[in-house]
Amino acid sequence: MMDRFPIVVLAAALLAATACHRTDKAEQLAALDSAYQSGLLTKDEYDAKRLALGAAAPAPAATQAPDAAPVPSPSPSAAPPEAIQPPAQPLPAVPPSSAAPPGVPPPSPPSARASGADTREPEPAPLAGCEDAEYKSGGQKGAVERFFAAPPEVVRRAAVTALGSLDFYIHKASSNEIEASKKRHAGAIVGAGGERVILTFQKTERGGQRGTRVIGQTKKSFVGHLAQKTWTDAVLAQMACKLRESGR
């Protein structure tokens, strides 16, 4: 029993020395960390001293290089990178081909088409199918007189129908006179249309036959005088056809 006592004392002394050594090492490491965080030691010096103490743990994560710039947080209103689309690039223009397809002649220039087209207004004439022996193509200038073997009211109705068929509109009418104007149309030659036809009706008798004398005349306006036509003969011929169709 007495022989074991020195061994126990020696073991207790070793444990106490080991505990003291661990306490000193912990204190040295804490002092080393404090000196590094305070800037008294560089990173290389700090690592070398830790290795000397037998502790190769990494440096504290709280330490940050003084020149590191903080990363800005993205703005809530900023669009994500994938939402920003690059501007669309225009497609390259394809020059029109100047070559015409095989078998198709090239288009004529506007001047050539205009010179070859017939831009004249047709001569005044009754409608197709209306045959009248007294009709004179081209129209007679001045007042033209014609006798119709029908009462004035019948002849007047035929005149209204004939003027409408030839594209006139009546703007003045009485029991013995009608005044109408030729309608103008979009795209017509400048000055064409607008001629006025005046018809007067008189009850009369010719060769023992009662009837109506009609005096017609075309009035042209000052503007567009050269493009306007004399419609008197065409209107009188169309009236004669209407009277024949009604049995008069």
Side-chain angles (χ1 to χ4, degrees):
M1 184 70 178
M2 294 297 294
D3 295 337
R4 297 180 58 185
F5 179 76
I7 298 173
V8 173
V9 173
L10 180 59
L14 290 174
L15 290 174
T18 303
C20 292
H21 177 71
R22 290 179 179 176
T23 302
D24 293 342
K25 184 176 181 180
E27 292 177 355
Q28 291 178 0
L29 287 174
L32 184 64
D33 292 341
S34 177
Y36 177 73
Q37 292 179 359
S38 300
L40 299 177
L41 296 177
T42 63
K43 184 69 168 57
D44 294 337
E45 293 174 344
Y46 173 77
D47 292 338
K49 291 183 179 296
R50 285 185 66 88
L51 291 174
L53 292 174
T63 304
Q64 183 177 0
D67 57 347
V71 179
S73 59
S75 175
S77 61
E82 60 271 12
I84 303 176
Q85 300 294 333
Q89 298 295 329
L91 296 177
V94 180
S97 176
S98 58
V104 179
S108 303
S111 58
R113 290 197 299 268
S115 60
D118 186 7
T119 57
R120 296 176 301 173
E121 280 285 294
E123 290 296 326
L127 298 180
C130 177
E131 301 294 335
D132 183 69
E134 296 188 34
Y135 165 70
K136 295 178 176 61
S137 178
Q140 304 177 65
K141 295 181 180 180
V144 179
E145 181 180 329
R146 184 159 177 177
F147 175 79
F148 294 98
E153 61 273 12
V154 176
V155 177
R156 185 176 176 278
R157 286 198 299 269
V160 172
T161 305
L163 288 168
S165 301
L166 295 175
D167 209 20
F168 281 79
Y169 70 92
I170 298 173
H171 50 80
K172 181 179 178 181
S174 64
S175 59
N176 58 356
E177 185 177 85
I178 291 178
E179 183 174 339
S181 296
K182 179 71 174 175
K183 296 179 181 179
R184 299 179 186 269
H185 297 279
I189 299 174
V190 177
E195 302 95 328
R196 291 186 302 123
V197 171
I198 303 174
L199 302 173
T200 58
F201 308 91
Q202 299 176 359
K203 186 177 181 179
T204 186
E205 184 177 339
R206 180 180 295 180
Q209 187 177 20
R210 295 180 180 180
T212 304
R213 180 174 66 178
V214 179
I215 301 174
Q217 189 172 5
T218 299
K219 298 287 187 178
K220 300 178 182 179
S221 61
F222 178 76
V223 178
H225 181 85
L226 297 177
Q228 293 178 347
K229 306 293 182 180
T230 303
W231 285 86
T232 310
D233 282 305
V235 172
L236 294 175
Q238 192 69 35
M239 289 172 57
C241 290
K242 294 297 182 182
L243 288 170
R244 285 197 297 270
E245 291 176 359
S246 64
R248 293 289 182 172

